Amino acid sequence: MERRVALVTGASSGIGEQTALELLRRGFIVYGAARRAARMSAIVDAGGHAIAMDVTDDTSVRAAVDRILAEQGRIDVLVNNAGYGSYGALEDVPIDEARRQFEVNVFGLAGITQLVLPGMRERRSGTIVNISSIGGRIYEPLGAWYHATKFAVEGLSDSLRVELEPHGVRVVVIQPGAIRTEWNGISRRSAMERSGTTAYAAQARALVRTLEAADESAGAGEPHVVAATIANAVTARRPRTRYATPVSAKFIVGLRRVLPDRVFDLLIRRIFAPTKAEFAESANPRVDEASTTASPVAGRERAAA
Protein backbone atom coordinates (compact mmCIF):
# COMPACT_ATOMS: atom_id res chain seq x y z
CA MET A 1 0.00 0.00 0.00
CA GLU A 2 1.39 3.40 -1.01
CA ARG A 3 2.36 5.60 1.90
CA ARG A 4 0.46 8.87 2.15
CA VAL A 5 2.39 12.14 2.18
CA ALA A 6 1.65 14.78 4.83
CA LEU A 7 2.81 18.37 5.19
CA VAL A 8 2.56 19.87 8.70
CA THR A 9 3.21 23.59 9.16
CA GLY A 10 4.38 25.13 12.42
CA ALA A 11 6.16 21.86 13.18
CA SER A 12 9.07 23.14 15.25
CA SER A 13 7.30 22.66 18.59
CA GLY A 14 4.05 21.89 20.37
CA ILE A 15 1.07 20.62 18.41
CA GLY A 16 2.84 20.74 15.05
CA GLU A 17 5.84 18.74 16.19
CA GLN A 18 3.71 16.14 17.94
CA THR A 19 1.41 15.84 14.92
CA ALA A 20 4.36 15.19 12.61
CA LEU A 21 5.69 12.52 14.98
CA GLU A 22 2.27 10.88 15.34
CA LEU A 23 1.74 10.73 11.58
CA LEU A 24 5.19 9.18 11.19
CA ARG A 25 4.23 6.51 13.71
CA ARG A 26 1.14 5.79 11.61
CA GLY A 27 3.14 5.21 8.47
CA PHE A 28 2.93 8.58 6.69
CA ILE A 29 5.77 10.24 4.82
CA VAL A 30 5.93 13.50 6.75
CA TYR A 31 7.38 16.91 5.97
CA GLY A 32 7.53 19.27 8.91
CA ALA A 33 7.68 22.92 7.92
CA ALA A 34 8.82 25.85 10.04
CA ARG A 35 10.82 29.04 9.81
CA ARG A 36 13.78 27.27 11.42
CA ALA A 37 14.40 23.81 10.05
CA ALA A 38 17.09 23.20 12.70
CA ARG A 39 14.42 23.11 15.41
CA MET A 40 12.82 20.03 13.85
CA SER A 41 15.58 17.53 14.66
CA ALA A 42 13.11 15.27 16.49
CA ILE A 43 11.10 14.87 13.29
CA VAL A 44 14.21 14.13 11.23
CA ASP A 45 15.45 11.64 13.84
CA ALA A 46 12.07 9.87 13.63
CA GLY A 47 12.40 9.48 9.86
CA GLY A 48 10.63 12.62 8.67
CA HIS A 49 11.78 15.59 6.63
CA ALA A 50 12.39 19.14 7.84
CA ILE A 51 11.77 21.98 5.44
CA ALA A 52 12.29 25.69 5.99
CA MET A 53 9.16 27.70 5.28
CA ASP A 54 7.63 31.00 6.35
CA VAL A 55 3.87 30.92 5.72
CA THR A 56 3.85 34.69 5.13
CA ASP A 57 6.46 34.47 2.36
CA ASP A 58 4.91 33.29 -0.93
CA THR A 59 8.30 32.37 -2.43
CA SER A 60 9.18 30.28 0.62
CA VAL A 61 5.84 28.48 0.58
CA ARG A 62 5.98 27.73 -3.14
CA ALA A 63 9.53 26.42 -2.87
CA ALA A 64 8.53 24.09 -0.04
CA VAL A 65 5.52 22.70 -1.89
CA ASP A 66 7.50 22.32 -5.12
CA ARG A 67 10.19 20.38 -3.28
CA ILE A 68 7.69 17.93 -1.80
CA LEU A 69 5.98 17.41 -5.14
CA ALA A 70 9.35 16.86 -6.83
CA GLU A 71 10.41 14.31 -4.22
CA GLN A 72 7.10 12.53 -3.63
CA GLY A 73 4.84 13.48 -6.53
CA ARG A 74 1.91 14.26 -4.25
CA ILE A 75 0.66 15.76 -1.00
CA ASP A 76 -2.22 13.81 0.53
CA VAL A 77 -2.63 15.66 3.82
CA LEU A 78 -2.02 19.30 4.71
CA VAL A 79 -2.12 20.25 8.39
CA ASN A 80 -2.33 24.04 8.65
CA ASN A 81 -0.97 24.47 12.16
CA ALA A 82 1.27 27.56 11.92
CA GLY A 83 -0.17 30.44 13.90
CA TYR A 84 0.19 32.52 17.03
CA GLY A 85 -1.88 34.41 19.59
CA SER A 86 -1.38 38.13 20.15
CA TYR A 87 -3.47 39.73 22.88
CA GLY A 88 -4.15 43.25 24.09
CA ALA A 89 -7.08 45.66 24.04
CA LEU A 90 -8.18 46.54 20.53
CA GLU A 91 -7.50 50.19 21.34
CA ASP A 92 -3.90 49.35 22.26
CA VAL A 93 -2.87 46.93 19.52
CA PRO A 94 -1.27 48.61 16.48
CA ILE A 95 -3.02 47.84 13.22
CA ASP A 96 0.27 46.52 11.81
CA GLU A 97 0.25 43.84 14.51
CA ALA A 98 -3.38 43.03 13.73
CA ARG A 99 -2.48 42.64 10.05
CA ARG A 100 0.48 40.44 10.98
CA GLN A 101 -1.82 38.13 12.91
CA PHE A 102 -4.15 37.79 9.93
CA GLU A 103 -1.19 37.25 7.60
CA VAL A 104 0.01 34.29 9.67
CA ASN A 105 -3.24 32.79 10.96
CA VAL A 106 -5.48 33.28 7.91
CA PHE A 107 -3.71 34.34 4.72
CA GLY A 108 -0.73 32.06 5.33
CA LEU A 109 -3.11 29.15 5.79
CA ALA A 110 -5.05 30.05 2.64
CA GLY A 111 -1.94 30.56 0.53
CA ILE A 112 -0.44 27.14 1.15
CA THR A 113 -3.86 25.52 0.74
CA GLN A 114 -4.16 27.08 -2.73
CA LEU A 115 -0.88 25.45 -3.74
CA VAL A 116 -1.70 21.91 -2.62
CA LEU A 117 -5.28 21.84 -3.91
CA PRO A 118 -4.66 21.32 -7.64
CA GLY A 119 -2.98 17.97 -7.06
CA MET A 120 -5.60 16.85 -4.54
CA ARG A 121 -8.41 17.88 -6.84
CA GLU A 122 -6.88 16.06 -9.83
CA ARG A 123 -6.53 12.86 -7.78
CA ARG A 124 -9.95 13.42 -6.23
CA SER A 125 -8.52 12.72 -2.79
CA GLY A 126 -6.84 14.58 0.01
CA THR A 127 -7.47 16.10 3.43
CA ILE A 128 -6.99 19.68 4.57
CA VAL A 129 -6.80 20.02 8.36
CA ASN A 130 -7.12 23.58 9.65
CA ILE A 131 -6.09 24.16 13.25
CA SER A 132 -8.57 26.64 14.63
CA SER A 133 -9.30 26.92 18.35
CA ILE A 134 -12.20 27.03 20.75
CA GLY A 135 -11.35 30.71 20.25
CA GLY A 136 -13.10 30.37 16.89
CA ARG A 137 -16.33 29.76 18.78
CA ILE A 138 -15.96 31.76 21.99
CA TYR A 139 -14.39 35.11 22.88
CA GLU A 140 -12.35 36.80 25.59
CA PRO A 141 -11.60 40.39 26.59
CA LEU A 142 -8.34 41.67 25.10
CA GLY A 143 -8.43 38.90 22.49
CA ALA A 144 -10.32 40.65 19.68
CA TRP A 145 -7.71 40.27 16.96
CA TYR A 146 -6.77 36.68 17.80
CA HIS A 147 -10.41 35.60 17.96
CA ALA A 148 -11.12 37.45 14.72
CA THR A 149 -8.51 35.32 12.95
CA LYS A 150 -9.90 32.08 14.36
CA PHE A 151 -13.50 33.01 13.52
CA ALA A 152 -12.17 33.67 10.00
CA VAL A 153 -10.54 30.23 9.87
CA GLU A 154 -13.84 28.65 10.89
CA GLY A 155 -15.79 30.44 8.16
CA LEU A 156 -13.11 29.80 5.54
CA SER A 157 -13.09 26.10 6.42
CA ASP A 158 -16.87 25.75 6.21
CA SER A 159 -17.00 27.34 2.77
CA LEU A 160 -14.00 25.32 1.62
CA ARG A 161 -15.55 22.08 2.84
CA VAL A 162 -18.66 22.36 0.66
CA GLU A 163 -16.62 23.83 -2.20
CA LEU A 164 -14.27 20.85 -2.30
CA GLU A 165 -16.69 18.02 -1.52
CA PRO A 166 -17.58 17.50 -5.22
CA HIS A 167 -13.85 17.15 -5.94
CA GLY A 168 -13.22 14.45 -3.34
CA VAL A 169 -11.16 16.65 -0.97
CA ARG A 170 -12.05 16.72 2.72
CA VAL A 171 -11.73 19.64 5.11
CA VAL A 172 -11.51 19.16 8.87
CA VAL A 173 -11.36 21.78 11.63
CA ILE A 174 -9.53 21.07 14.90
CA GLN A 175 -10.49 23.22 17.89
CA PRO A 176 -7.92 22.89 20.68
CA GLY A 177 -8.77 24.24 24.09
CA ALA A 178 -6.23 24.78 26.86
CA ILE A 179 -3.07 23.01 25.69
CA ARG A 180 0.28 23.28 27.45
CA THR A 181 2.40 24.84 24.71
CA GLU A 182 4.35 28.06 24.10
CA TRP A 183 1.12 29.69 22.89
CA ASN A 184 -0.16 30.47 26.38
CA GLY A 185 3.01 32.21 27.52
CA ILE A 186 3.27 34.22 24.30
CA SER A 187 -0.34 35.37 24.66
CA ARG A 188 0.17 36.45 28.27
CA ARG A 189 3.29 38.42 27.44
CA SER A 190 1.65 40.17 24.51
CA ALA A 191 -1.31 41.22 26.67
CA MET A 192 0.97 42.81 29.25
CA GLU A 193 3.20 44.38 26.61
CA ARG A 194 0.26 46.02 24.84
CA SER A 195 -2.13 46.81 27.69
CA GLY A 196 -0.27 46.30 30.97
CA THR A 197 0.11 50.03 31.61
CA THR A 198 -2.98 51.43 29.84
CA ALA A 199 -6.59 51.95 30.86
CA TYR A 200 -7.00 48.19 30.38
CA ALA A 201 -4.18 47.24 32.77
CA ALA A 202 -6.41 45.57 35.39
CA GLN A 203 -8.10 43.49 32.68
CA ALA A 204 -4.70 42.53 31.27
CA ARG A 205 -3.58 41.25 34.68
CA ALA A 206 -6.83 39.34 35.09
CA LEU A 207 -6.36 37.79 31.67
CA VAL A 208 -2.83 36.69 32.53
CA ARG A 209 -4.03 35.14 35.77
CA THR A 210 -6.88 33.32 34.02
CA LEU A 211 -4.66 31.96 31.24
CA GLU A 212 -2.10 30.80 33.78
CA ALA A 213 -4.81 29.01 35.72
CA ALA A 214 -6.08 27.35 32.56
CA ASP A 215 -2.58 26.15 31.72
CA GLU A 216 -2.21 24.58 35.16
CA SER A 217 -5.72 23.14 35.43
CA ALA A 218 -6.59 19.47 35.29
CA GLY A 219 -8.63 20.21 32.16
CA ALA A 220 -5.60 21.35 30.16
CA GLY A 221 -4.16 18.89 27.69
CA GLU A 222 -0.76 18.10 26.24
CA PRO A 223 0.12 18.60 22.54
CA HIS A 224 0.10 14.87 21.86
CA VAL A 225 -3.64 14.78 22.67
CA VAL A 226 -4.34 17.18 19.80
CA ALA A 227 -1.89 15.30 17.58
CA ALA A 228 -3.77 12.04 18.14
CA THR A 229 -7.05 13.77 17.28
CA ILE A 230 -5.56 15.09 14.03
CA ALA A 231 -4.15 11.68 13.11
CA ASN A 232 -7.50 10.03 13.83
CA ALA A 233 -9.25 12.57 11.61
CA VAL A 234 -6.96 12.09 8.61
CA THR A 235 -7.15 8.30 8.84
CA ALA A 236 -10.93 8.11 9.38
CA ARG A 237 -13.09 6.80 6.55
CA ARG A 238 -15.54 9.64 7.17
CA PRO A 239 -14.08 12.25 9.53
CA ARG A 240 -16.23 14.70 11.41
CA THR A 241 -16.21 18.30 10.23
CA ARG A 242 -14.95 19.50 13.64
CA TYR A 243 -13.06 18.06 16.56
CA ALA A 244 -12.84 19.97 19.84
CA THR A 245 -10.10 18.63 22.10
CA PRO A 246 -9.45 17.88 24.96
CA VAL A 247 -12.68 17.06 26.81
CA SER A 248 -12.73 20.47 28.50
CA ALA A 249 -12.80 22.10 25.04
CA LYS A 250 -15.85 20.05 24.05
CA PHE A 251 -17.62 21.27 27.17
CA ILE A 252 -16.83 24.93 26.49
CA VAL A 253 -17.89 24.75 22.84
CA GLY A 254 -21.09 22.98 23.87
CA LEU A 255 -21.80 25.63 26.48
CA ARG A 256 -21.41 28.39 23.92
CA ARG A 257 -23.81 26.59 21.61
CA VAL A 258 -26.65 26.56 24.13
CA LEU A 259 -26.19 29.83 26.05
CA PRO A 260 -27.61 33.12 24.73
CA ASP A 261 -25.07 35.86 24.04
CA ARG A 262 -25.92 37.93 27.11
CA VAL A 263 -25.65 34.94 29.41
CA PHE A 264 -22.32 33.94 27.89
CA ASP A 265 -21.15 37.56 28.18
CA LEU A 266 -21.90 37.41 31.90
CA LEU A 267 -19.97 34.17 32.26
CA ILE A 268 -16.95 35.59 30.44
CA ARG A 269 -17.02 38.79 32.47
CA ARG A 270 -17.01 36.80 35.71
CA ILE A 271 -14.17 34.53 34.60
CA PHE A 272 -11.99 37.45 33.52
CA ALA A 273 -13.03 39.97 36.18
CA PRO A 274 -10.07 41.79 37.76
CA THR A 275 -9.63 41.41 41.50
CA LYS A 276 -9.31 44.38 43.87
CA ALA A 277 -5.59 43.69 44.05
CA GLU A 278 -5.29 43.80 40.27
CA PHE A 279 -7.15 47.10 40.15
CA ALA A 280 -4.86 48.49 42.84
CA GLU A 281 -1.72 47.22 41.14
CA SER A 282 -2.86 48.70 37.83
CA ALA A 283 -3.28 52.09 39.47
CA ASN A 284 0.43 51.95 40.31
CA PRO A 285 1.88 50.10 37.31
CA ARG A 286 5.30 48.52 37.48
CA VAL A 287 7.44 46.68 34.98
CA ASP A 288 6.05 43.18 35.11
CA GLU A 289 8.04 40.01 34.50
CA ALA A 290 5.27 38.77 32.21
CA SER A 291 5.91 41.66 29.85
CA THR A 292 9.71 41.52 29.88
CA THR A 293 10.64 37.84 29.67
CA ALA A 294 10.22 37.92 25.90
CA SER A 295 9.25 40.47 23.33
CA PRO A 296 6.14 40.11 21.18
CA VAL A 297 8.41 39.90 18.13
CA ALA A 298 10.26 36.92 19.57
CA GLY A 299 6.96 35.34 20.47
CA ARG A 300 5.67 35.73 16.92
CA GLU A 301 8.77 34.09 15.54
CA ARG A 302 8.41 31.07 17.80
CA ALA A 303 4.69 30.66 17.26
CA ALA A 304 4.81 31.04 13.49
CA ALA A 305 7.81 28.76 13.18
Side-chain angles (χ1 to χ4, degrees), residues 110-194:
I112 192 168
T113 300
Q114 285 183 326
L115 293 179
V116 305
L117 278 179
M120 290 183 174
R121 181 170 43 75
E122 289 169 10
R123 293 190 306 275
R124 296 190 60 80
S125 69
T127 303
I128 306 293
V129 179
N130 290 334
I131 309 303
S132 177
S133 166
I134 60 171
R137 287 299 200 214
I138 67 167
Y139 44 88
E140 302 160 298
L142 280 68
W145 289 116
Y146 171 71
H147 287 278
T149 66
K150 291 306 181 181
F151 270 71
V153 168
E154 295 276 338
L156 182 151
S157 300
D158 285 339
S159 291
L160 193 62
R161 185 178 64 253
V162 295
E163 183 174 299
L164 294 179
E165 192 277 334
H167 303 282
V169 181
R170 306 183 296 189
V171 178
V172 175
V173 173
I174 305 295
Q175 299 170 318
I179 304 295
R180 298 184 183 97
T181 67
E182 292 177 337
W183 183 95
N184 204 320
I186 292 166
S187 300
R188 296 196 300 265
R189 287 190 292 271
S190 64
M192 291 303 297
E193 175 71 18
R194 299 299 183 190

Side-chain angles (χ1 to χ4, degrees), residues 92 191-202 204-205 281-282 284-288 291:
D92 297 333
M192 291 303 297
E193 175 71 18
R194 299 299 183 190
S195 297
T197 58
T198 72
Y200 302 91
R205 295 179 188 281
E281 191 170 11
S282 299
N284 298 285
R286 59 183 175 80
V287 177
D288 194 284
S291 65

Side-chain angles (χ1 to χ4, degrees), residues 26 80 87 97 114 153 210 228 237 239 254 270 279 287 302:
R26 299 199 189 197
N80 280 312
Y87 277 60
E97 169 59 16
Q114 285 183 326
V153 168
T210 304
R237 184 180 298 275
R270 287 184 175 178
F279 274 119
V287 177
R302 286 197 301 275

